[in-house]
Amino acid sequence: MFGDGAPTNRFEDFDKAEVLLLIGSNTTDAHPVVANRIKKAVKNGVKLIVIDPRKIDMTKSAEKHLQLKVGSDIALLNAMMHVIIEEGLYDKDYIARVSEGFDELKEKVSMYTPEYASEITRVAADDIREVARMYASADHGMIAYTLGITEHHFGVNNVFDIANIALLTGNIGKEGTGIMPLRGQNNVQGAGDMGCLPNQLTGGLKVVNEADRKIFEDAWGAELPAEVGHTQTAMLEKMTAGKMKALYVIGENPILADVNMHHTTQAIRNVDLLIVQDLFLHETAKIADVVLPARSWAEVDGTYTNADRRVQRTRQGIEAHPNTKGDWQILCEIATLMGYEMNYNSSEEIWNEVRSLVPHMFGGMTYERFDNEGGLNYPCPSVDHPGTFILHERFHQGIELKEKSRFVPVDFSPPAEPTDDEYPLTLTTGRRYEQYNTNSQTAYYPEKIKLKQTEETVDMHADDAASLNIEDGEYVEVASRRGKVKVKAKICKKMQKGDVFMSFHWAEVPTNSLTIDEFDPISGTAEYKACAVKISKLA
Amino acid sequence: MGKQEVKMICSYCGTGCGLIVEVEDNKIVKVRGDKESAVNKGQTCIKGSFAYNYVHAKERLTTPLIRKNGELQPATWKEALSFIAEKLTSFKKDFGPDSMSIFACARATNETNYVTQKFARAVLGMNNIDGCNRT
Ligand code: SF4
């Protein structure tokens, strides 16, 4: 497959698209300013199609809303490709030049007739046909997606299938097209790009590739391990098995943020040395062996990389909080105490080391340019390079590619825990507008701000509430096979029957004690998005 | 200290809005969208504009803590960092690098993340580094 999950285009391309598929993204709440940009693009003529189980706010701007069943995205996308191939709407010349594996894809999607997919997704077959035609016939078809699609045990397959449909229709490699994964946290992209992944070094270089490792071995004067490390999920499993001695957690509260928190807590308790470096004494810090007080966003210099590959400079605005140290300063001091001298005078010095190690990606991005020009999109190999707005442009240059992109056909598989008589409702989880992840920072809004939501609710369809004799605002118990929580019920027009929604922002209502312990076998991403629950009135 | 305006990037979602942060006597008093930013052209959302008070919260940690006799107790930086360095050195020697792991921070700067993985690979000698950075 092409690329590595990096966004292929920029936010500017929303304005140049004809059709935009928004998949599993509650953009209004999770990425409000992107939502505004999309709404503006719609006013200027972009046709928006929302694919989401909930009647989210973005549907108000949409030409079409496919309200599919939670976790049935692959069935829908495969059926769309079925239609596109059957009706000859794919870009034949393009895929002959740039792709391979078309026959396997055709074979795979042949069974996904719109009628068959309709049974799985609850979306009408004709709606699937209509949307497939709209996307495939547009000269510029773009896709944006969020957690809704990646947080399944089959999340990686969802991402493959999105790439399949974009490639099939020639929608990779030019403006107003492409795939934009909208990242949940501000520097997810950058953390991965810098090499905070078990299989990747800085700049996307590969741990298993000797030549790649050598670049870093020479610069760092150390021999580097050649085997891919464990994903977070696998690390937790090793902890549970008692095979992990130490865990160093930087700026995260995994106990509250992870699926199935009981399991996570047990795993983490099992290490001999738990180090937590953060601003607050949160749930994970409370069980740590050593806690290190770090500095906040407003106290540090550096760069972040946003959801459209844009590296931007942020600056220290206030003096450091008393007796704290910056994250990288702490790591440098420990390294030096361990006999590996590590020392930087500024974040710029670190950034320049990054530039020198992977110049093809970041070489041309100096702090001076960030100050003068604002953000720059990588790759940006030299100081006179404007940055790269669109990836894979060679796909549209009329040439036959030597290294072709392979289609990765995938099958629909149902959520890990289907509903049944005992647990008849599907719980999905996500973010709310005003809160952020585990809320340890957004809990500090000034008093003058009137918040729409100050406590957790379980959002449900009016019919489900009625059949359980539950009133809006009443406290209820939500239980799964793993745990139960007490929470306020909220009757919500966004929900479809049979689905309920909760976030994981409030420690008082640990939603993740309900969610399930299934992981995507490839990425290790946990299934936050769907599990079976029941709701009952409090005695 | 007086008044100043500092250009920052929002630390919440992946949109990466440019912010102008107004600081008075070392306190953030107001945040507004940076009109010069191509990402947000002056816009922000409630998180970007108002969710900054945590920076000044009295609950912020102001001392390293080490667990002694079952309780987390204040310690000096020197104590805390030496304790960590000694422990990690002995784990590496006795149980091998694979006995250690790091959860990196998808909200920290690129520079911190670069140093974090360098620490994992060059100092601890392992690739067990991952984050909530898959979403
Ligand atoms: S201001 Fe809002 S939309 Fe912009 S980056 Fe911050 S959280 Fe995201």
Side-chain angles (χ1 to χ4, degrees):
Chain A
M1 207 90 232
F2 55 88
D4 38 22
T8 62
N9 290 54
R10 298 189 304 160
F11 295 148
E12 279 84 346
D13 289 78
F14 292 136
D15 300 324
K16 296 166 189 157
E18 281 167 55
V19 173
L20 173 63
L21 298 187
L22 192 62
I23 308 179
S25 164
N26 182 10
T27 329
T28 316
D29 289 350
H31 300 90
V33 168
V34 169
N36 291 349
R37 289 191 79 131
I38 293 175
K39 287 177 190 167
K40 195 165 159 232
V42 169
K43 283 212 180 85
N44 294 329
V46 177
K47 288 191 184 120
L48 175 67
I49 296 159
V50 172
I51 298 175
D52 199 285
R54 293 194 297 154
K55 203 168 163 192
I56 51 174
D57 172 72
M58 291 307 287
T59 60
K60 289 182 200 149
S61 308
E63 179 112 351
K64 199 97 197 152
H65 174 208
L66 304 187
Q67 194 165 13
L68 80 178
K69 208 174 150 196
V70 170
S72 64
D73 307 75
I74 289 178
L76 181 79
L77 290 164
N78 279 355
M80 284 173 66
M81 287 190 277
H82 176 101
V83 173
I84 290 166
I85 292 173
E86 194 180 63
E87 301 187 2
L89 302 173
Y90 58 103
D91 193 334
K92 294 176 198 78
D93 167 61
Y94 178 90
I95 63 168
R97 283 188 294 102
V98 310
S99 76
E100 57 190 9
F102 172 72
D103 291 337
E104 285 99 308
L105 180 77
K106 187 176 170 184
E107 160 89 35
K108 177 69 80 190
V109 301
S110 65
M111 66 176 279
Y112 289 87
T113 62
E115 281 70 23
Y116 171 62
S118 178
E119 284 168 32
I120 300 171
T121 60
R122 293 192 207 129
V123 175
D126 279 342
D127 285 343
I128 298 176
R129 284 199 179 85
E130 188 188 335
V131 166
R133 287 175 193 141
M134 277 173 76
Y135 175 68
S137 318
D139 242 353
H140 297 88
M142 197 166 168
I143 300 178
Y145 69 88
T146 306
L147 296 136
I149 197 126
T150 45
E151 280 181 358
H152 284 286
H153 70 281
F154 40 79
V156 165
N157 281 348
N158 285 356
V159 174
F160 282 143
D161 228 19
I162 287 176
N164 286 334
I165 198 167
L167 193 61
L168 181 66
T169 51
N171 278 316
I172 297 289
K174 63 177 181 184
E175 64 172 30
T177 70
I179 302 172
M180 302 297 289
L182 300 174
R183 305 300 200 159
Q185 304 190 62
N186 70 317
N187 204 29
V188 177
Q189 191 66 50
D193 295 339
M194 290 302 109
C196 287
L197 290 172
N199 58 345
Q200 267 183 33
L201 302 157
T202 314
L205 299 189
K206 299 277 175 279
V207 160
V208 292
N209 187 331
E210 198 182 326
D212 287 358
R213 278 200 316 278
K214 179 130 192 348
I215 296 170
F216 296 87
E217 289 180 332
D218 289 350
W220 295 347
E223 201 183 314
L224 300 190
E227 262 168 49
V228 166
H230 299 298
T231 61
Q232 186 169 21
T233 312
M235 290 186 234
L236 286 166
E237 272 164 23
K238 278 198 97 175
M239 288 172 214
T240 306
K243 288 185 181 141
M244 202 54 92
K245 292 288 162 197
L247 170 63
Y248 196 151
V249 182
I250 301 173
E252 301 278 358
N253 182 10
I255 287 182
L256 206 58
D258 261 309
V259 253
N260 203 337
M261 60 185 278
H262 298 315
H263 175 87
T264 307
T265 310
Q266 274 170 14
I268 291 180
R269 275 188 189 282
N270 245 352
V271 298
D272 291 357
L273 176 68
L274 173 62
I275 306 159
V276 174
Q277 179 169 313
D278 213 327
L279 309 182
F280 295 100
L281 196 65
H282 52 53
E283 288 74 9
T284 311
K286 278 183 188 144
I287 65 164
D289 300 292
V290 190
V291 180
L292 303 173
R295 289 183 185 164
S296 79
W297 145 84
E299 295 152 60
V300 298
D301 256 317
T303 58
Y304 297 128
T305 308
N306 80 344
D308 71 357
R309 285 179 286 109
R310 206 179 304 234
V311 183
Q312 307 189 93
R313 169 112 201 260
T314 191
R315 296 164 188 82
Q316 178 173 5
I318 57 172
E319 281 170 35
H321 208 66
N323 203 23
T324 56
K325 286 181 196 268
D327 287 317
W328 57 258
Q329 282 96 342
I330 298 173
L331 290 160
C332 286
E333 287 187 36
I334 298 173
T336 305
L337 284 170
M338 290 179 74
Y340 182 94
E341 194 84 29
M342 205 159 36
N343 201 345
Y344 300 97
N345 291 312
S346 66
S347 63
E348 185 173 10
E349 195 181 330
I350 301 171
W351 181 250
N352 286 338
E353 184 169 315
V354 173
R355 289 175 55 219
S356 73
L357 285 167
V358 278
H360 63 288
M361 293 288 279
F362 307 111
M365 296 182 172
T366 60
Y367 267 35
E368 196 188 342
R369 283 188 77 189
F370 294 138
D371 288 346
N372 296 334
E373 301 170 43
L376 290 164
N377 300 77
Y378 70 75
C380 178
S382 60
V383 286
D384 53 5
H385 190 287
T388 304
F389 298 169
I390 302 163
L391 296 183
H392 317 298
E393 277 189 298
R394 64 187 191 289
F395 286 23
H396 274 284
Q397 283 162 353
I399 41 170
E400 168 121 13
L401 296 189
K402 271 198 221 89
E403 243 183 79
K404 296 204 160 113
S405 275
R406 178 159 271 288
F407 285 108
V408 185
V410 291
D411 262 316
F412 163 76
S413 68
E417 190 181 53
T419 54
D420 55 21
D421 289 346
E422 202 188 349
Y423 297 95
L425 300 164
T426 302
L427 168 71
T428 71
T429 65
R431 268 166 231 269
R432 297 189 193 274
Y433 174 61
E434 298 142 336
Q435 285 73 31
Y436 184 87
N437 283 9
T438 57
N439 212 15
S440 61
Q441 300 182 351
T442 42
Y444 291 93
Y445 275 116
E447 272 170 34
K448 62 177 196 255
I449 300 294
K450 275 233 174 341
L451 295 179
K452 283 193 285 189
Q453 184 140 13
T454 52
E455 68 172 303
E456 185 62 279
T457 54
V458 55
D459 302 354
M460 58 200 297
H461 191 277
D463 290 355
D464 288 332
S467 72
L468 291 162
N469 198 15
I470 288 168
E471 309 244 342
D472 188 50
E474 175 179 340
Y475 283 90
V476 296
E477 182 185 279
V478 182
S480 75
R481 288 187 175 81
R482 293 154 296 278
K484 56 185 181 204
V485 299
K486 196 178 122 185
V487 62
K488 202 184 225 178
K490 183 165 123 192
I491 292 170
C492 178
K493 289 201 182 75
K494 285 181 190 157
M495 302 307 300
Q496 56 178 324
K497 252 165 81 172
D499 291 349
V500 298
F501 175 88
M502 293 173 68
S503 75
F504 48 92
H505 297 307
W506 285 274
E508 303 78 43
V509 181
T511 304
N512 290 332
S513 65
L514 303 170
T515 49
I516 195 167
D517 228 1
E518 286 286 325
F519 298 94
D520 187 291
I522 305 172
S523 76
T525 301
E527 178 147 281
Y528 290 88
K529 282 290 163 183
C531 74
V533 297
K534 64 179 169 195
I535 295 186
S536 33
K537 280 180 90 77
L538 293 178
Chain B
M1 287 269 301
K3 255 190 167 177
Q4 50 170 339
E5 293 191 346
V6 186
K7 276 182 178 241
M8 298 189 198
I9 302 298
C10 180
S11 69
Y12 286 103
C13 85
T15 307
C17 294
L19 304 176
I20 307 276
V21 178
E22 296 178 21
V23 177
E24 221 178 290
D25 297 328
N26 209 35
K27 283 244 161 11
I28 300 175
V29 291
K30 193 176 171 200
V31 175
R32 47 180 221 269
D34 182 355
K35 291 199 177 73
E36 287 177 15
S37 163
V39 169
N40 54 311
K41 299 177 182 133
Q43 292 194 351
T44 58
C45 74
I46 187 170
K47 279 175 282 214
S49 308
F50 297 108
Y52 56 78
N53 273 347
Y54 75 92
V55 165
H56 306 300
K58 59 180 187 315
E59 293 85 354
R60 284 269 311 262
L61 289 161
T62 51
T63 173
L65 304 167
I66 300 183
R67 192 168 296 279
K68 285 179 191 151
N69 309 320
E71 300 278 329
L72 281 174
Q73 293 178 8
T76 63
W77 275 102
K78 191 159 181 281
E79 272 177 280
L81 298 185
S82 309
F83 177 76
I84 292 169
E86 270 166 39
K87 281 270 189 186
L88 293 178
T89 304
S90 75
F91 289 150
K92 187 177 171 183
K93 188 162 138 275
D94 298 341
F95 304 99
D98 208 35
S99 68
M100 297 175 283
S101 45
I102 294 182
F103 290 177
C105 181
R107 300 189 59 203
T109 59
N110 287 330
E111 288 76 2
T112 283
N113 278 298
Y114 171 78
V115 170
T116 306
Q117 56 94 40
K118 181 173 177 179
F119 178 78
R121 295 183 164 119
V123 184
L124 300 184
M126 56 70 170
N127 287 309
N128 296 333
I129 176 165
D130 201 354
C132 300
N133 48 14
R134 295 177 171 280
T135 52

